[in-house]
């Protein structure tokens, strides 16, 4: 790889960020951990996370704003952080959350129930606040009240056993972040810039520009004083925009960053050859960790001939998922057995589905697929099947924003072509794909990850395919749910079971069996076809820091742009 001008600029910024010349603290590279930032900081002077733009993932919710709980993907447990526990009533319409004693904001003010209630009420009463987390709170919470300084009671608009993990547990990416009442009181939350920001975390904001943010350790952090956790080892944390895969590879190889965003297998192996201290989630293939959003092929169930469950099943038989893994992903992922991300916490539900005979094999059975096509009246005529003078064909829409997407569909198109279906890829621009193609159902098939959601329980994903969200083609699907427009008797039976699961307490022993029962209808009707697990190959550098999360050191997943990064930083130890 060549060293570009961009790389030199980034390298200079990296050096300036941890050198002592620009800041009062003299902090060495050995005391600094540097994370890759994959985007420009749109507004470096604004830390209001409730409004649009990059205001939290350049270090704010990884070092400064702590969550109440952190979901452990391996066990499915909610690890307590700013809160110590919660209770709910029998029908999951009331939740009482207990906060940890001794928590302080970095300016010394106590963190307590008043802060939680104030922040929640901001979301409930100010509809100009547009963040997803605030909107979710507004949709779910009827009222919130103070029981005492360390206890908060939520009354929900509807029953929701997942309320705490969805809103306060870092289920995916972030959580509803609590803000200091003594600073936000009297401000318009839709316009307040919140600068300088404060939080309860062990780091305070030092500086930011469009391509880097710097956070320095607060040695008076409440957690160390209260005996919750020791001070984290890094004295400085930097989030640095690296400018893309080539630049991040060079910076990783030369020890100028410690954790990088996703790279290709070729880039990773080249970096590791130059710097053997670089590791990944797995020591060997597939190297990468699984992302929560498993990939799938969506099928519009309203368009002939794909309105036939047998024809959709035929496509599922023809697709060779192993080949997708080997060709499109170069061996860095694995075939999906079900719709779910294959985390330890999801194993009871995945195993129940597979044990009931409804899991998908990784290899193809082309003959079985062709038998279903022929059973529907199609006859192979040369390269393709035909019926009533019409060639069996399909257009598969794919977001052109990533080679991962387009390479996957290229593999599937070739497989379908060989089996006798005249398949074609239809690449479309990102905005068109998400703004027009998927939500309005203007596709025959499409590559997506619309089952995304379940990481510790099954309803979050399964609930996206119930009949309540069926709308006509041309009308926007609510929340991208059931864009396949799956309807009919089987869908009704599926929905009845899934709706029941949605009201049951998390961990109920009956749920795995109910999941398998509902999944039988999905497997028979195939409104979408699970393909492979999503892969994130994230290089981690052990030159200066050890303790990175990995399959062998599984205290949680490695996605360091998420709100759970507090766990990662607290587990880092100086190398040597």
């Amino acid at each position: 790889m060549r060293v570009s001008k961009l790389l030199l600029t980034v390298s200079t910024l990296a050096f300036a960020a941890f050198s002592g010349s620009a800041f009062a603290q003299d902090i060495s590279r050995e005391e600094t951990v540097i994370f890759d930032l994959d985007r420009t900081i749109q507004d470096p002077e604004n830390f209001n996370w409730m409004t649009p733009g990059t205001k939290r993932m350049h270090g704010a919710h990884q070092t400064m704003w702590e969550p109440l709980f952190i979901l452990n993907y391996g066990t499915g447990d909610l690890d307590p952080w700013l809160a110590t526990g919660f209770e709910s009533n029998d029908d999951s319409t009331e939740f009482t959350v207990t906060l940890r004693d001794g928590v302080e904001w970095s300016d010394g003010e106590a963190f307590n129930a008043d802060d939680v209630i104030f922040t929640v009420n901001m979301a409930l009463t100010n509809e100009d606040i547009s963040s997803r987390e605030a909107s979710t709170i507004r949709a779910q919470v009827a009222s919130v009240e103070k029981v005492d300084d360390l206890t908060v009671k939520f009354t929900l608009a509807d029953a929701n056993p997942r309320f705490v993990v969805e809103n306060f547990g870092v289920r995916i990416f972030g959580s509803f972040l609590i803000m200091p009442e003594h600073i936000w009181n009297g401000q318009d939350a839709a316009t307040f810039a919140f600068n300088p920001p404060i939080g309860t975390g062990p780091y305070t904001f030092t500086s930011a520009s469009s391509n880097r943010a710097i956070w320095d350790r607060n040695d008076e952090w409440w957690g160390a004083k209260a005996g919750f956790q020791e001070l984290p080892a890094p004295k400085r944390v930097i989030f640095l925009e690296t400018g893309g895969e080539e630049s991040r590879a060079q910076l990783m190889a030369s020890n100028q960053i410690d954790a990088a965003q996703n790279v290709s297998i070729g880039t990773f192996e080249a970096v590791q050859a130059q710097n053997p201290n670089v590791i990944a989630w797995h020591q060997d293939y597939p190297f990468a960790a699984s992302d929560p959003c498993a990939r799938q092929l969506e099928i519009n169930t309203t368009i002939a001939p794909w309105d036939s469950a047998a024809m959709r099943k035929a496509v599922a038989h023809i697709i060779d998922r192993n080949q997708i893994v080997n060709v499109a992903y170069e061996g860095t992922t694995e075939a999906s057995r079900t719709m779910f991300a294959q985390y330890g916490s999801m194993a009871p539900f995945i195993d129940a589905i597979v044990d009931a005979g409804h899991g998908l094999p990784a290899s193809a059975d082309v003959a079985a697929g062709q038998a279903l096509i022929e059973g529907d009246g199609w006859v192979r005529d040369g390269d393709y099947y035909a019926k009533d003078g019409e060639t069996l064909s399909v257009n598969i829409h794919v977001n052109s924003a990533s080679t991962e997407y387009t390479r996957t569909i290229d593999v599937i198109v070739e497989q379908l072509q060989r089996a006798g279906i005249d398949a074609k890829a239809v690449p479309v621009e990102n905005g068109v794909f998400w703004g027009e193609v998927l939500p309005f159902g203007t596709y025959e098939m499409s590559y997506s990850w619309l089952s995304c959601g379940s990481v510790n329980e099954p309803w979050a994903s399964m609930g996206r395919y119930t009949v309540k969200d069926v709308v006509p083609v041309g009308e926007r699907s609510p929340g991208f749910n059931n864009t396949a427009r799956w309807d009919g008797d089987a869908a009704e039976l599926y929905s009845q079971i899934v709706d029941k699961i949605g009201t049951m307490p998390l961990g109920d022993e009956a749920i795995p069996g109910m999941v398998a029962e509902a999944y039988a209808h999905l497997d028979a009707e195939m409104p979408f076809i699970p393909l492979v697990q999503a892969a994130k190959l994230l290089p981690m550098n052990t030159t200066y820091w050890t303790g990175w999360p990995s399959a062998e050191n599984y205290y949680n997943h490695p996605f360091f742009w998420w709100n759970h990064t507090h766990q990662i930083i607290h587990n880092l130890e100086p190398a040597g």
Side-chain angles (χ1 to χ4, degrees):
M1 292 183 181
R2 60 185 178 84
V3 180
S4 64
K5 291 182 180 179
L6 173 62
L7 173 58
L8 293 174
T9 301
V10 171
S11 299
T12 302
L13 284 170
F15 175 77
F18 64 75
S19 69
S21 59
F23 305 101
Q25 280 185 287
D26 187 10
I27 297 175
S28 67
R29 174 68 179 95
E30 290 78 8
E31 298 171 305
T32 303
V33 59
I34 304 177
F35 292 96
D36 183 3
L37 183 63
D38 67 348
R39 65 197 64 199
T40 298
I41 303 172
Q42 298 174 10
D43 189 354
E45 302 302 317
N46 189 332
F47 285 89
N48 183 344
W49 69 271
M50 296 188 183
T51 56
T54 303
K55 300 181 178 73
R56 59 189 294 174
M57 61 186 292
H58 53 289
H61 82 161
Q62 297 102 315
T63 69
M64 179 177 65
W65 293 327
E66 298 174 295
L68 300 189
F69 302 92
I70 296 177
L71 176 64
N72 187 305
Y73 274 26
T75 65
D77 294 335
L78 274 177
D79 295 335
W81 206 267
L82 292 184
T84 58
F86 68 92
E87 295 179 350
S88 67
N89 63 354
D90 291 341
D91 65 0
S92 299
T93 57
E94 294 179 354
F95 284 81
T96 302
V97 177
T98 303
L99 304 177
R100 190 178 297 278
D101 193 12
V103 180
E104 296 177 345
W105 298 100
S106 60
D107 63 1
E109 289 281 337
F111 169 94
N112 56 35
D114 292 331
D115 296 300
V116 177
I117 292 168
F118 173 79
T119 311
V120 170
N121 277 328
M122 280 198 298
L124 295 182
T125 59
N126 190 336
E127 293 191 0
D128 291 331
I129 296 172
S130 57
S131 73
R132 177 182 58 81
E133 292 89 349
S135 298
T136 301
I137 284 286
R138 193 156 53 239
Q140 294 185 3
V141 176
S143 64
V144 59
E145 60 184 286
K146 177 180 178 178
V147 177
D148 57 44
D149 282 348
L150 297 177
T151 312
V152 178
K153 179 181 178 182
F154 295 89
T155 300
L156 307 189
D158 298 293
N160 182 6
R162 296 158 299 283
F163 171 71
V164 171
V165 69
E166 282 181 358
N167 293 283
F168 300 112
V170 199
R171 185 183 67 171
I172 293 180
F173 175 67
S175 58
F176 184 86
L177 299 165
I178 307 304
M179 295 293 101
E181 179 190 18
H182 64 284
I183 293 177
W184 283 69
N185 192 20
Q187 302 288 345
D188 182 352
T191 60
F192 181 42
F194 194 25
N195 190 8
I198 69 166
T200 61
Y203 294 87
T204 57
F205 176 62
T206 297
S207 69
S209 63
S210 62
N211 54 14
R212 58 103 178 95
I214 301 171
W215 309 83
D216 285 335
R217 194 175 71 187
N218 173 19
D219 289 350
E220 297 299 313
W221 177 54
W222 71 268
K225 293 191 295 183
F228 169 58
Q229 301 260 0
E230 294 182 0
L231 279 171
K235 292 184 177 181
R236 175 166 289 166
V237 180
I238 298 171
F239 282 80
L240 181 71
E241 183 186 13
T242 57
E245 184 165 337
E246 178 182 336
S247 297
R248 69 174 58 115
Q250 288 284 358
L251 291 171
M252 178 64 72
S254 57
N255 294 319
Q256 294 186 73
I257 59 173
D258 300 298
Q261 294 278 348
N262 193 47
V263 299
S264 65
I265 181 63
T267 295
F268 175 75
E269 290 177 330
V271 169
Q272 200 173 51
Q274 295 177 63
N275 187 344
N277 291 331
V278 174
I279 62 172
W281 179 254
H282 291 287
Q283 293 181 2
D284 207 334
Y285 276 94
F287 291 115
S290 291
D291 179 270
C293 299
R295 304 323 196 200
Q296 64 191 44
L297 188 68
E298 205 81 20
I299 305 175
N300 190 328
T301 63
T302 71
I303 298 177
W306 314 114
D307 55 351
S308 162
M311 292 297 287
R312 299 192 296 266
K313 288 280 286 185
V315 174
H317 281 303
I318 291 167
I319 291 175
D320 188 330
R321 293 160 191 78
N322 278 335
Q323 189 177 55
I324 295 173
V325 169
N326 295 329
V327 176
Y329 286 84
E330 300 179 291
T332 59
T333 189
E334 59 184 335
S336 294
R337 295 188 292 164
T338 69
M339 70 193 296
F340 298 125
Q342 290 166 188
Y343 295 121
S345 53
M346 293 301 297
F349 315 110
I350 295 172
D351 290 346
I353 292 166
V354 173
D355 290 346
H358 305 309
L360 284 171
S363 56
D365 187 345
V366 176
Q370 290 174 325
L372 288 172
I373 293 171
E374 291 163 7
D376 201 53
W378 297 85
V379 178
R380 186 78 178 253
D381 182 14
D383 290 336
Y384 304 117
Y385 282 96
K387 182 168 67 171
D388 299 329
E390 178 185 354
T391 298
L392 180 57
S393 63
V394 64
N395 290 322
I396 306 177
H397 280 77
V398 58
N399 188 340
S400 61
S402 170
T403 56
E404 173 206 335
Y405 314 154
T406 56
R407 289 176 69 182
T408 299
I409 293 306
D410 287 345
V411 172
I412 291 174
V413 163
E414 183 179 346
Q415 292 173 353
L416 296 180
Q417 285 275 342
R418 288 199 304 265
I421 301 173
D422 186 13
K424 294 183 177 63
V426 183
V428 293
E429 181 267 330
N430 183 69
V432 174
F433 185 79
W434 291 106
E436 299 177 21
V437 174
L438 279 183
F440 292 99
T442 56
Y443 64 85
E444 291 181 88
M445 297 182 189
S446 67
Y447 175 84
S448 73
W449 45 91
L450 296 185
S451 291
C452 190
S454 287
V455 292
N456 68 311
E457 58 82 31
W459 183 89
S461 290
M462 299 187 84
R464 305 194 69 177
Y465 284 88
T466 58
V467 294
K468 73 178 185 337
D469 290 323
V470 173
V471 296
V473 170
E475 186 176 323
R476 179 181 289 275
S477 293
F480 292 96
N481 292 342
N482 203 349
T483 70
R485 275 73 179 169
W486 182 42
D487 207 349
D489 292 344
E492 290 280 357
L493 293 170
Y494 168 88
S495 299
Q496 290 171 17
I497 301 168
V498 171
D499 288 346
K500 175 63 177 175
I501 292 171
T503 68
M504 297 169 68
L506 300 185
D508 191 302
E509 293 181 355
I511 291 178
M514 295 172 68
V515 167
E517 183 184 358
Y519 210 93
H521 299 295
L522 272 183
D523 185 47
E525 293 265 315
M526 206 66 70
F528 61 89
I529 301 172
L531 298 174
V532 298
Q533 296 292 288
K536 294 290 186 185
L537 208 176
L538 308 174
M540 307 283 181
N541 195 338
T542 63
T543 299
Y544 296 113
W545 300 104
T546 61
W548 299 104
S550 68
E552 293 75 32
N553 184 29
Y554 195 163
Y555 53 86
N556 217 328
H557 59 79
F559 309 139
F560 57 83
W561 53 98
W562 290 25
N563 195 198
H564 85 296
T565 305
H566 293 275
Q567 283 183 328
I568 296 176
I569 294 173
H570 276 282
N571 275 277
L572 294 180
E573 298 179 355

